[in-house]
């Protein structure tokens, strides 16, 4: 069953065409890893899925929610965009935790404000989620008191608090010191095992090999090639994929 | 210098200081409200609101406060709007400080990292929810230093409304000098009282700033 269905997605910034014509389906519980050189449109694709960037053209479908690009921003439309976003958990490269709230409050915020959940219930749920990402002893800490890896795990818990149908990760470990990358990837891997549908933009090859059901290689606003991680890493068909994989594995 | 003059003048001067503080506090409350909504108008996507906000700021920052006071107190009666001295003073001070405060607010809202709004709306918050819960609490912290600055200037500017017969601290000093012929003593006393009031509010706002930034690295 498809959770996400993206059809003919196009996006330009002024004269710069970032997404040329993207078609992508993601099935339930599938983990899709998107790789590609910087400027290839990976992040923009992810941001277009939740309309953080409004696509110029195309259709995004998430479960029963369908959004066509380029329509007028009336009330009905805004409600639909919000509904789409409530069902997608977005994890940012820079975490973007709310600095004036504790870890616990960060994770309670969505359920209380958006879902109008009872405060007590939201708190219990937030505790559960923070325990799950290994931060049971950091709940009362403010983001500034946490390491990057811990902050990103809070951000994952915050995204999970809305019980999304899919998790989108935009280079979740790129802003982290190398020794903190693992703890975040482990949490993501655990979620994948539990059957969470995920789309991950990352440069972490090992993670892709280990967790991805499908690897997509993007370049120049197009999906150049896709397939199982085994095929993509051992036996890529396209010259551009080969070149990219060669470049990222090049030891200095 | 005759100390009995100080002792005799102090009670009326202290009363007048209360008027000064009252003028400043009431005006700053109105100015904060006005400044806040003007800031929202200025960052909104609605062009008319934006234009009204900019026009207001341009007028009140672009003309002297004393002229604004004269227009309101002496000018408006000509079109049948007659305000008493104190309301006139409060109106002028609020409109003037509001223009400055709105610029502080606007800068503070824009200074909050763009990722904060994105994180909030990516969860499904409305623009209003994101503003209330995420952006504004952070921008108030950022705005406090410039806000204190504007407030201190506002306290000093209350002395200008002495020209429309409000018996605040400066006006009272002048009245006492007319009887005692001790300008140096009385004006220095007035200066000391202004200094005490401003030091008090500065300390208060400093504490508020520390309190609001304690969790931020």
């Amino acid at each position: 069953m498809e959770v996400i269905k993206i059809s003919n997605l196009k996006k330009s910034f002024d004269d710069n065409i970032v997404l040329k014509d993207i078609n992508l389906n993601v099935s339930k519980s599938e983990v899709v890893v998107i790789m590609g050189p910087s400027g290839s449109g990976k992040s923009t694709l992810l941001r277009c899925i939740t309309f953080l960037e409004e696509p110029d053209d195309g259709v995004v479908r998430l479960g029963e929610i369908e959004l066509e690009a380029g329509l007028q921003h009336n009330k009905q439309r805004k409600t639909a965009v919000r509904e789409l976003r409530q069902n997608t958990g977005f994890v940012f490269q820079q975490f973007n935790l709310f600095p004036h709230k504790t870890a616990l409050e960060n994770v309670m915020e969505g359920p209380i404000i958006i879902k109008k959940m009872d405060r007590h219930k939201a708190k219990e749920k937030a505790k559960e989620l923070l325990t799950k990402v290994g931060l049971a002893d950091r709940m009362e800490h403010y983001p500034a008191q946490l390491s990057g890896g811990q902050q990103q795990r809070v951000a994952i818990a915050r995204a999970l608090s809305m019980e999304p149908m899919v998790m989108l990760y935009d280079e979740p470990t790129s802003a982290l010191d190398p020794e903190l990358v693992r703890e975040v990837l482990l949490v993501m891997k655990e979620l994948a095992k539990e059957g969470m549908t995920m789309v991950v933009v990352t440069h972490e090859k090992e993670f892709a090999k280990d967790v991805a059901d499908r690897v997509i290689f993007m370049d120049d606003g197009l999906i150049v090639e896709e397939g199982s991680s085994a095929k993509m890493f051992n036996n890529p068909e396209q010259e551009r994929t080969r070149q990219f994989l060669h470049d990222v594995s090049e030891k200095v | 210098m005759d100390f009995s003059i100080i002792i005799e003048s102090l009670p009326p001067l202290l009363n007048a200081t209360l008027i000064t503080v009252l003028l400043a506090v009431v005006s700053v409350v109105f100015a904060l409200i006005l400044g806040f909504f003007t800031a929202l108008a200025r960052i909104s996507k609605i062009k008319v609101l934006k234009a009204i906000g900019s026009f207001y700021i341009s007028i009140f920052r672009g003309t002297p406060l004393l002229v604004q006071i004269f227009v309101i107190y002496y000018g408006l009666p000509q079109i049948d709007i007659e305000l008493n001295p104190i309301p006139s003073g409060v109106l002028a001070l609020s409109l003037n400080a509001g223009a400055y405060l709105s610029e502080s607010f606007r800068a503070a809202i824009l200074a909050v990292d763009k990722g904060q709004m994105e994180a909030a709306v990516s969860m499904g918050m409305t623009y209003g929810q994101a503003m209330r819960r995420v952006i504004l609490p952070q921008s108030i912290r950022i705005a406090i230093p410039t806000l204190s600055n504007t407030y201190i200037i506002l306290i000093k500017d209350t002395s200008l409304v002495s020209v429309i017969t409000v018996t605040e601290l400066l006006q009272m000093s002048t009245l006492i000098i007319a009887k005692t012929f001790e300008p140096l003593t009385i004006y220095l006393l007035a200066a000391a009282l202004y200094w005490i009031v401003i030091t008090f509010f500065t300390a208060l706002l400093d504490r508020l700033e520390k309190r609001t930034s304690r969790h931020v690295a």
Side-chain angles (χ1 to χ4, degrees):
Chain A
M1 194 189 91
E2 280 148 3
V3 178
I4 302 181
K5 190 173 163 67
I6 298 163
S7 323
N8 306 105
L9 204 68
K10 296 187 182 79
K11 175 73 182 171
S12 327
F13 295 108
D14 301 321
D15 290 338
N16 185 15
I17 305 168
V18 185
L19 297 176
K20 283 179 181 155
D21 184 14
I22 301 286
N23 291 284
L24 173 66
N25 296 340
V26 182
S27 315
K28 190 161 171 36
S29 295
E30 193 180 15
V31 177
V32 175
V33 166
I34 304 177
M35 301 185 107
S38 75
S40 57
K42 313 169 299 249
S43 287
T44 306
L45 170 59
L46 218 54
R47 293 166 60 82
C48 279
I49 297 177
T50 53
F51 283 68
L52 280 177
E53 291 309 340
E54 169 97 32
D56 299 330
D57 203 4
V59 179
V60 174
R61 198 185 161 92
L62 178 80
E64 297 300 307
I65 310 156
E66 190 174 275
L67 271 174
E68 201 178 319
L71 294 182
Q72 247 201 332
H73 286 251
N74 54 26
K75 203 165 173 199
Q76 196 186 355
R77 161 85 168 178
K78 282 181 185 166
T79 312
V81 171
R82 274 207 305 283
E83 201 189 342
L84 174 88
R85 287 174 180 166
Q86 285 172 22
N87 287 289
T88 49
F90 202 100
V91 177
F92 298 87
Q93 185 177 348
Q94 300 294 342
F95 333 131
N96 295 347
L97 289 179
F98 307 136
H100 56 304
K101 293 178 188 296
T102 62
L104 195 63
E105 288 166 345
N106 263 280
V107 184
M108 290 163 65
E109 187 69 10
I112 290 179
I113 299 303
I114 301 164
K115 291 191 163 176
K116 313 289 180 207
M117 189 187 277
D118 167 69
R119 204 182 162 78
H120 181 74
K121 214 174 132 196
K123 194 170 183 172
E124 287 311 305
K125 210 181 127 182
K127 281 182 179 170
E128 233 169 79
L129 286 169
L130 283 170
T131 308
K132 185 180 170 138
V133 298
L135 292 171
D137 56 343
R138 292 284 185 277
M139 299 199 200
E140 301 301 332
H141 286 56
Y142 284 87
Q145 301 165 318
L146 299 171
S147 73
Q150 291 169 335
Q151 288 190 53
Q152 192 60 298
R153 284 186 283 151
V154 175
I156 292 173
R158 179 177 67 179
L160 290 171
S161 73
M162 294 298 290
E163 296 179 340
M165 290 156 76
V166 57
M167 288 284 282
L168 306 176
Y169 299 85
D170 187 7
E171 303 203 25
T173 57
S174 299
L176 296 176
D177 290 335
E179 77 274 16
L180 302 176
V181 169
R182 211 178 93 91
E183 62 188 54
V184 172
L185 293 181
L186 280 177
V187 166
M188 292 167 60
K189 195 171 161 181
E190 196 55 42
L191 281 173
K193 260 197 230 159
E194 288 172 17
M196 177 58 82
T197 312
M198 317 210 293
V199 181
V200 188
V201 170
T202 184
H203 295 296
E204 298 290 336
K205 251 171 87 178
E206 292 310 312
F207 176 81
K209 277 184 191 165
D210 224 19
V211 184
D213 297 305
R214 184 155 45 120
V215 176
I216 287 176
F217 176 69
M218 273 182 79
D219 194 12
D220 212 11
L222 286 168
I223 293 177
V224 174
E225 188 172 358
E226 59 180 301
S228 70
S229 53
K231 177 209 148 193
M232 291 293 282
F233 290 115
N234 302 329
N235 212 354
E237 283 165 21
Q238 300 291 325
E239 177 53 34
R240 274 194 283 180
T241 316
R242 270 200 289 276
Q243 184 63 47
F244 174 75
L245 291 171
H246 176 76
D247 288 346
V248 293
S249 56
E250 189 87 324
K251 298 273 189 293
V252 183
Chain B
M1 200 165 70
D2 189 350
F3 276 103
S4 67
I5 289 177
I6 296 181
I7 290 161
E8 272 168 39
S9 318
L10 210 50
L13 282 178
L14 283 173
N15 273 333
T17 307
L18 274 183
I19 301 287
T20 291
V21 170
L22 194 77
L23 277 171
V25 170
V26 173
S27 303
V28 86
V29 169
F30 285 126
L32 283 170
I33 296 168
L34 197 59
F36 176 71
F37 285 104
T38 309
L40 288 187
R42 290 257 289 158
I43 57 171
S44 91
K45 288 187 190 120
I46 303 164
K47 284 209 177 85
V48 186
L49 286 180
K50 241 184 169 134
I52 294 171
S54 305
F55 180 70
Y56 157 62
I57 292 169
S58 160
I59 295 298
F60 281 88
R61 289 206 309 183
T63 57
L65 176 57
L66 195 52
V67 174
Q68 293 162 17
I69 293 169
F70 282 163
V71 168
I72 289 170
Y73 185 66
Y74 295 117
L76 290 185
Q78 212 184 330
I79 52 165
D80 290 328
I81 303 172
E82 284 190 40
L83 295 171
N84 288 330
I86 289 187
S88 299
V90 168
L91 184 62
L93 289 168
S94 309
L95 286 168
N96 188 268
Y100 286 95
L101 284 179
S102 79
E103 284 299 89
S104 314
F105 279 137
R106 189 176 71 100
I109 290 169
L110 296 179
V112 175
D113 182 58
K114 200 168 122 278
Q116 293 290 310
M117 179 57 98
E118 288 197 341
V121 298
S122 81
M123 293 166 77
M125 284 193 200
T126 61
Y127 179 79
Q129 286 170 332
M131 269 292 181
R132 258 197 332 276
R133 304 286 311 177
V134 177
I135 306 299
L136 293 177
Q138 296 183 60
S139 45
I140 285 168
R141 180 183 64 79
I142 300 170
I144 287 174
T146 50
L147 198 144
S148 341
N149 214 14
T150 307
Y151 184 53
I152 287 164
I153 292 171
L154 172 63
I155 297 173
K156 293 192 267 196
D157 280 350
T158 56
S159 63
L160 286 174
V161 302
S162 62
V163 298
I164 55 169
T165 73
V166 177
T167 15
E168 43 65 71
L169 185 49
L170 183 63
Q171 172 76 354
M172 182 57 87
S173 313
T174 309
L175 292 175
I176 293 172
I177 290 161
K179 283 188 291 184
T180 59
F181 307 107
E182 289 272 359
L184 184 63
T185 314
I186 301 299
Y187 279 141
L188 281 179
L189 207 54
L193 287 169
Y194 275 116
W195 179 80
I196 289 168
V197 167
I198 285 168
T199 306
F200 168 76
F201 280 112
T202 309
L204 201 73
L205 288 163
D206 277 353
R207 274 185 62 174
L208 183 66
E209 189 191 344
K210 288 210 179 74
R211 249 185 77 106
T212 50
S213 17
R214 72 194 142 167
H215 304 307
V216 186

